[in-house]
Amino acid sequence: MNRVLVNIKTREKRFAFIKENKLERLYIQQPEQNSSVGNIYLGQATKVIPGMNAVFIEIGEGKAGYLPKEQLASFITDARPLEQKKKMNINSFVKQGERMLVQVVKDAAGTKGSKLTGIIELAGENIIYIPTGRYIAVSKKIAEKEKSDFLRSFGSAVTTEEEGIIFRTSAANCTENQLTEELKRLKKDYQELKINAGQLKKVALLKEEDDFDKELIIVLEKLETGEVIIDDLLESKKWAARFPAFDVNFYQQTQGLFAYYEVENDVEKALNRIVWLKNGAYIIIDEAEAFTMVDVNTGKFEGKQEREDTVFQTNKLACEEVARQLKIRDISGIVLVDFIDMPVKNQQKIQSQMIKELQKDSRQTKVVGFTSLGILQITRKKTVKTLKEVRQSKCIVCNGTGYVLSAESVAFQLERELWEYKTADCELILIEATLDVIHIFSGIKEEHKKRFEELLLCEIRFTVSEFSKPYYRISYVGSLS
């Protein structure tokens, strides 16, 4: 049974999709960590770079956004043939200092600003209106050809040559009048955006997307039926009206929703580095800024067949778990999976299995193939912050590296710094340091400390610091009085 738990009565909003009593999708939204994807801004071109066929757009969010030439509205609406436009310089479509409406398609990450598009999309319940889209599209889930053809014909009749429409799955159950009214509302919203933009003197946010609702809609549309449990009465009524095919219920127990359905523990384990497979094997997930590395290990699984079969069965199980973890953690970008070594014939089977598993993913994914070293390459489109970005912050001690200088390195650094006082006219040096650094610097029975005092002709006194990593600070150099 499909079950979606929606926990929204606190400031941190969460939903979890449970399939056959197993967590398949987890989304958490915190007030200060909302994704910018879908937000519409009045932006200004600050740097046009012909060599990159792109322009950097200031949107008032600290880092300039990146907008490729092919995503400029002026590029799309230009009537010249596509091949001709591709060969043209980007300066033919945008000038430095020019202001324009842009929409975020990928959040800023690390040192990179947001990825933008000038092709604005305004989403309604049944249609997505694209003012400069120049195409009509229908959801692939609308299998009935007659209905699909009708929507395409209707879309062509109600849009100009420049406009575009995408019909959602729910559009199949709408009347022509309902679709017409919704399109009118979206067109009116776009005109209001343009008017508001024209009244502004500097870049600004014009429309903010509700990511939580958007992500929940993606899950529910993909499921089509199931049970939805929400811990807010008004929200439960809203979603019941929006998705009548679902059994939507209001949760009103004292115990937390996730705790009651025993999902809270899954949330805590969702960022574990090691994930165990049901046969005793395990995978290790390491997320970095450039890519995510997944390592597959046999662990406790020995198998009852020959080693080749044991390895194949483990790698096959790993495919299922890797695909699941990508969804739960919202990992995106380049993903490299280091499977246990296997023959090329089995690599092809594992690649096919991974493709099959990733077809269940609502994000755009691509299995590129195995490298010569036997590592499977996958790419996954980023639309929201990863679970790691939402739930964790960089360690102030190690600055996110996972490592700090050893006590030995810090003690030797102190030694070098003290050498600089060899010619100083001083009688006392006070040093605040962690106990491990003090022990290493002082040596057995403080022999090294005493030798240093003789060399410097002054006394060295330590006070113990409770700092969380090996540390020292010279706090005083001077006379004993």
Side-chain angles (χ1 to χ4, degrees):
M1 181 179 181
N2 296 324
R3 175 180 286 155
V4 180
L5 308 176
V6 186
N7 171 214
I8 53 176
K9 65 180 180 181
T10 58
R11 286 187 300 165
E12 181 182 72
K13 297 180 180 181
R14 310 182 297 176
F15 74 74
F17 164 43
I18 314 297
K19 183 178 181 181
E20 297 175 0
N21 295 318
K22 194 172 184 179
L23 181 64
E24 288 290 322
R25 176 83 166 88
L26 174 65
Y27 182 73
I28 299 176
Q29 182 190 80
Q30 296 176 348
E32 300 302 319
Q33 293 179 317
N34 194 21
S35 169
S36 296
V37 173
N39 287 359
I40 300 174
Y41 295 82
L42 171 63
Q44 185 170 25
T46 56
K47 189 180 292 186
V48 181
I49 308 178
M52 295 174 64
N53 256 338
V55 55
F56 285 95
I57 306 289
E58 177 60 47
I59 59 174
E61 297 294 330
K63 299 172 186 173
Y66 173 83
L67 200 165
K69 180 178 76 174
E70 289 77 10
Q71 293 294 312
L72 285 163
S74 54
F75 178 89
I76 297 296
T77 55
D78 191 293
R80 282 170 284 200
L82 179 60
E83 290 304 315
Q84 182 182 344
K85 290 191 290 183
K86 284 183 176 180
K87 295 176 183 178
M88 293 170 63
N89 192 294
I90 189 172
N91 286 299
S92 302
F93 302 100
V94 62
K95 303 297 181 186
Q96 187 166 321
E98 183 179 336
R99 304 201 312 172
M100 66 187 77
L101 292 181
V102 292
Q103 191 167 29
V104 177
V105 294
K106 184 178 179 181
D107 277 318
T111 58
K112 299 177 182 177
S114 303
K115 186 175 181 181
L116 308 173
T117 180
I119 308 165
I120 306 299
E121 293 187 0
L122 295 176
E125 292 190 5
N126 305 295
I127 61 177
I128 298 173
Y129 171 58
I130 314 169
T132 55
R134 297 179 71 93
Y135 70 92
I136 308 297
V138 178
S139 169
K140 293 179 181 179
K141 291 184 179 179
I142 301 178
E144 189 180 340
K145 188 176 185 302
E146 185 178 346
K147 178 62 72 172
S148 178
D149 289 344
F150 163 75
L151 291 173
R152 289 182 186 279
S153 176
F154 170 77
S156 298
V158 295
T159 56
T160 66
E161 186 179 350
E162 283 190 358
E163 294 174 322
I165 291 183
I166 299 174
F167 290 97
R168 296 180 182 270
T169 307
S170 57
N173 302 317
C174 296
T175 65
E176 186 173 329
N177 185 58
Q178 286 175 316
L179 295 174
T180 301
E181 290 302 312
E182 185 172 331
L183 180 60
K184 283 182 180 179
R185 289 196 302 272
L186 295 174
K187 286 188 175 186
K188 183 181 177 183
D189 290 345
Y190 180 64
Q191 292 305 318
E192 288 178 356
L193 280 176
K194 291 177 67 176
I195 292 170
N196 292 338
Q199 295 172 344
L200 295 172
K201 294 182 179 180
K202 60 181 181 179
V203 299
L205 172 63
L206 296 174
K207 184 178 183 295
E208 189 169 13
E209 191 77 12
D210 188 332
D211 297 310
F212 189 85
D213 283 10
K214 181 177 66 176
E215 290 299 316
L216 185 53
I217 288 170
I218 290 172
V219 170
L220 297 181
E221 285 187 337
K222 195 171 182 67
L223 296 179
E224 296 182 352
T225 59
E227 182 184 19
V228 182
I229 304 171
I230 306 176
D231 60 5
D232 181 277
L233 181 59
L234 292 178
E235 287 290 321
S236 65
K237 291 179 179 179
K238 181 184 86 172
W239 290 100
R242 179 77 182 268
F243 289 91
F246 284 85
D247 180 17
V248 181
N249 296 299
F250 168 49
Y251 177 82
Q252 48 189 327
Q253 304 295 327
T254 303
Q255 187 178 15
L257 176 62
F258 276 32
Y260 181 83
Y261 285 96
E262 300 179 347
V263 178
E264 208 68 71
N265 190 43
D266 290 326
V267 174
E268 293 305 313
K269 293 192 298 184
L271 287 174
N272 284 357
R273 185 168 176 259
I274 296 176
V275 180
W276 290 94
L277 307 180
K278 59 186 179 182
N279 69 345
Y282 63 92
I283 62 175
I284 298 175
I285 303 173
D286 287 316
E287 294 181 56
E289 186 170 339
F291 59 86
T292 296
M293 188 73 209
V294 182
D295 188 31
V296 183
N297 296 274
T298 51
K300 302 173 184 177
F301 180 55
E302 297 177 354
K304 297 181 180 179
Q305 307 297 326
E306 295 181 358
R307 173 173 169 75
E308 184 178 320
D309 182 67
T310 299
V311 168
F312 178 73
Q313 293 302 324
T314 300
N315 286 339
K316 191 175 179 182
L317 272 176
C319 280
E320 180 182 342
E321 190 59 39
V322 168
R324 175 173 168 263
Q325 291 296 327
L326 293 182
K327 290 183 288 183
I328 292 174
R329 302 173 189 233
D330 261 317
I331 292 172
S332 58
I334 299 170
V335 180
L336 304 177
V337 186
D338 186 9
F339 287 100
I340 305 166
D341 290 343
M342 55 186 160
V344 174
K345 62 177 183 179
N346 285 349
Q347 283 186 357
Q348 295 169 348
K349 294 177 183 177
I350 290 298
Q351 182 170 331
S352 298
Q353 180 70 23
M354 183 62 81
I355 292 171
K356 179 182 177 182
E357 295 296 336
L358 290 175
Q359 285 174 346
K360 306 169 188 175
D361 195 346
S362 59
R363 301 276 187 265
Q364 182 181 329
T365 59
K366 182 180 180 182
V367 179
V368 180
F370 278 92
T371 69
S372 58
L373 296 176
I375 296 174
L376 184 63
Q377 306 164 97
I378 302 170
T379 61
R380 188 171 187 264
K381 185 178 180 180
K382 177 165 186 172
T383 57
V384 297
K385 292 180 183 291
T386 66
L387 186 64
K388 181 179 179 180
E389 290 171 322
V390 172
R391 297 206 70 203
Q392 297 181 334
S393 59
K394 190 173 287 187
C395 173
I396 61 172
V397 175
C398 69
N399 200 30
T401 65
Y403 296 90
V404 296
L405 283 175
S406 66
E408 288 85 354
S409 294
V410 175
F412 298 147
Q413 185 177 323
L414 170 59
E415 185 176 321
R416 287 191 295 271
E417 187 169 346
L418 286 176
W419 268 111
E420 298 175 10
Y421 293 99
K422 187 176 181 180
T423 58
D425 184 15
C426 65
E427 298 174 306
L428 176 65
I429 298 177
L430 297 181
I431 303 169
E432 180 188 351
T434 50
L435 203 56
D436 50 2
V437 172
I438 294 173
H439 286 160
I440 292 168
F441 176 85
S442 300
I444 299 173
K445 296 182 179 179
E446 295 194 342
E447 290 179 355
H448 185 69
K449 174 176 172 288
K450 291 173 183 176
R451 186 166 65 249
F452 233 86
E453 287 176 327
E454 291 173 4
L455 289 168
L456 299 179
L457 300 175
C458 70
E459 182 184 349
I460 297 172
R461 290 183 194 170
F462 282 106
T463 57
V464 178
S465 166
E466 299 297 331
F467 205 63
S468 53
K469 66 176 181 176
Y471 163 85
Y472 78 85
R473 181 178 70 88
I474 298 176
S475 57
Y476 175 79
V477 178
S479 63
L480 284 167
S481 58

